[in-house]
Amino acid sequence: MAGALSNIRVLDLSRVLAGPWCGQILADLGAEVIKVERPGSGDDTRGWGPPYLKDEEGNEFPKDSAYYLAANRNKKSVTINLSKPEGQELIRELAKKSDIFIENYKVGDMKRYGLGYEDLKKLNPGLIYCSITGFGQDGPLSSLAGYDFVVQGMGGLMSITGERDDLPGGGPQKVGVAFADIMTGVYSTIAILAALAHRNNTGEGQYIDMSLLDVQVATMANMNMNYLVSGKVPKRQGNAHANIVPYQVFNAKDGQLVLAVGNDSQFAKFCEILGHPELAEDERFKTNAGRVRNRETVVPIIQEFLMEKNVYDWIGPMEMAGVPCGAINNIAQTFEHPQVKHRGMKIELPHPLVGKVPLVASPLRLSASPVEYRTAPPTLGQHTHEVLSALTGLSEAELQALASKGITS
């Protein structure tokens, strides 16, 4: 079965995680994604290591970092120097035959190269053009480069992430992965798919303006609303939830577990398993609202009782009773978890340098148009001649001439 986007071609000029993440999702869904990189250095993330890809003898490939491998499956790599008029003309030729154009250059760079939306729209009226920047195409910060870490701070996420201020070592923390980048990639994919649906109905393409800061603000979700409704600025809760109790990390005799009691019925079941059903009848703790108001009283009581047994002595009965809980796994333990293994979340694909490369599967499961795992993340410029000869009609001699001038490699 072909992927849902098997007739779609994407020209991807993005260089850091938000754009490549979007491109990988589209590629997994069957799109042909042509990744345009700088000759010599390529995508910035290729050098974000160690660790780097290694062969069986332990030799490293410093243009294939683990970071790069995370977001570039199923793509074709083409090297083009955008600073040269010949390179810009190649992009125009490729854009004529593409459905989607993704870029994450600073505001104005694409226009300066003659590759802005209005320029390419004249060549391809149906083109869907997605610009991904730190702060959007307008506003006082629009000219600045955007970085995930900075945006996590500016957009409020770090203010609610980390241990409480009143605990030793308390302070703001970033999320352990590039959250703003990844979520912007996901939101960009949604916007592109919506634009494809619009084009199917009308025949017209459109421009998409995506901002890391916009996405970060939007994904603050209930914490935004807690502030907007109450007027009170949310504070860091450590691993606790601002609106649900008990919903945090607890200690057991031999380790820690996550407890995520989402309603009063679950709390009553939890108290039965805990051996203290009277807690669920206590007027202070009977409802979630009461437990939130009396957090400082009920949490220590629960913690004391949980210390009586080991982690999995609690998890087994709670899973059987439908009380949400889980161990805190490191990543090695995560990939060994029976459910993760059953779902096939680790895959391998053939790679031209090392035989096979391990990758993480897509979480998308479609019954009629399943995700495709076609190729490993490409080596730098792996498909330059293949793509340019097929889509621009350049001869081998012309391609060699471009390479000799540093336009391609």
Side-chain angles (χ1 to χ4, degrees):
M1 291 181 285
L5 302 181
S6 58
N7 62 337
I8 298 297
R9 179 175 293 129
V10 180
L11 189 58
D12 184 2
L13 277 66
S14 57
R15 299 171 294 170
V16 289
L17 193 55
W21 198 264
C22 172
Q24 177 164 283
I25 296 171
L26 296 171
D28 283 351
L29 292 170
E32 177 189 15
V33 177
I34 299 170
K35 180 180 180 69
V36 178
E37 305 189 64
R38 292 168 292 184
S41 56
D43 182 333
D44 289 347
T45 65
R46 285 184 180 272
W48 288 5
Y52 296 102
L53 189 64
K54 293 181 180 180
D55 62 19
E56 292 181 355
E57 284 73 43
N59 299 309
E60 286 189 335
F61 298 92
K63 292 192 185 302
D64 293 273
S65 70
Y67 205 114
Y68 162 78
L69 296 172
N72 288 285
R73 175 178 59 237
N74 285 337
K75 301 179 185 179
K76 295 178 179 178
S77 173
V78 173
T79 53
I80 299 177
N81 187 340
L82 296 185
S83 68
K84 303 293 184 181
E86 298 96 325
Q88 296 156 16
E89 184 58 30
L90 287 175
I91 296 297
R92 283 188 278 272
E93 288 300 313
L94 293 173
K96 288 179 185 178
K97 299 178 180 178
S98 297
D99 301 281
I100 299 162
F101 185 98
I102 305 173
E103 61 90 10
N104 72 331
Y105 282 71
K106 288 183 180 179
V107 172
D109 279 358
M110 289 290 101
K111 290 181 181 178
R112 180 161 53 87
Y113 293 146
L115 301 174
Y117 174 61
E118 294 302 327
D119 300 308
L120 298 186
K121 180 182 177 182
K122 295 173 184 175
L123 304 175
N124 182 354
L127 187 67
I128 295 163
Y129 191 117
C130 181
S131 293
I132 302 173
T133 58
F135 304 103
Q137 297 295 307
D138 48 36
L141 299 184
S142 60
S143 64
L144 300 182
Y147 294 89
D148 175 90
F149 192 4
V150 175
V151 168
Q152 285 195 37
M154 292 179 66
L157 182 59
M158 290 178 63
S159 77
I160 61 163
T161 305
E163 292 294 348
R164 291 163 34 176
D165 280 332
D166 59 349
L167 295 178
Q173 295 286 323
K174 70 178 182 65
V175 176
V177 294
F179 180 82
D181 268 338
I182 292 169
M183 289 305 298
T184 301
V186 173
Y187 268 92
S188 297
T189 304
I190 295 169
I192 287 168
L193 294 177
L196 279 173
H198 174 79
R199 192 182 72 174
N200 287 343
N201 293 330
T202 67
E204 67 177 358
Q206 62 181 295
Y207 182 73
I208 300 169
D209 171 11
M210 295 299 302
S211 154
L212 268 68
L213 183 59
D214 291 353
V215 171
Q216 181 59 83
V217 173
T219 53
M220 295 293 288
N222 60 296
M223 301 305 285
N224 281 336
M225 294 310 300
N226 285 351
Y227 166 69
L228 293 174
V229 169
S230 72
K232 296 179 181 178
V233 176
K235 297 181 179 179
R236 287 184 297 280
Q237 299 281 346
N239 285 312
H241 195 291
N243 304 104
I244 310 172
V245 173
Y247 201 104
Q248 64 185 76
V249 172
F250 286 94
N251 294 318
K253 186 185 290 186
D254 67 340
Q256 294 181 305
L257 71 154
V258 171
L259 184 62
V261 173
N263 58 50
D264 298 333
S265 173
Q266 289 177 357
F267 184 66
K269 292 177 184 177
F270 167 69
C271 292
E272 289 282 349
I273 294 166
L274 202 60
H276 293 275
E278 71 278 3
L279 280 179
E281 296 302 319
D282 190 310
E283 289 300 323
R284 295 171 298 171
F285 313 141
K286 201 169 188 177
T287 66
N288 181 68
R291 293 191 295 276
V292 171
R293 293 190 181 101
N294 293 284
R295 180 195 302 268
E296 301 304 325
T297 302
V298 71
V299 167
I301 294 172
I302 293 170
Q303 177 59 86
E304 181 181 353
F305 294 144
L306 286 173
M307 284 297 294
E308 295 172 0
K309 295 182 182 180
N310 292 335
V311 168
Y312 279 95
D313 292 332
W314 293 119
I315 287 179
M318 284 196 279
E319 286 181 342
M320 291 289 291
V323 177
C325 64
I328 299 176
N329 293 328
N330 62 35
I331 292 178
Q333 291 168 328
T334 296
F335 278 106
E336 289 302 313
H337 192 283
Q339 183 66 20
V340 174
K341 294 176 80 169
H342 174 81
R343 297 288 287 180
M345 289 304 296
K346 177 184 174 182
I347 62 172
E348 289 186 331
L349 287 175
H351 191 279
L353 299 179
V354 299
K356 288 185 178 180
V357 61
L359 296 166
V360 181
S362 169
L364 302 176
R365 307 295 171 105
L366 292 84
S367 64
S369 54
V371 162
E372 300 176 337
Y373 301 116
R374 301 184 300 278
T375 58
T379 57
L380 181 59
Q382 181 178 342
H383 304 94
T384 300
H385 281 213
E386 172 193 326
V387 169
L388 294 182
S389 62
L391 298 183
T392 69
L394 291 171
S395 67
E396 184 62 29
E398 290 170 319
L399 289 170
Q400 292 292 345
L402 287 171
S404 68
K405 293 191 286 186
I407 307 302
T408 64
S409 62

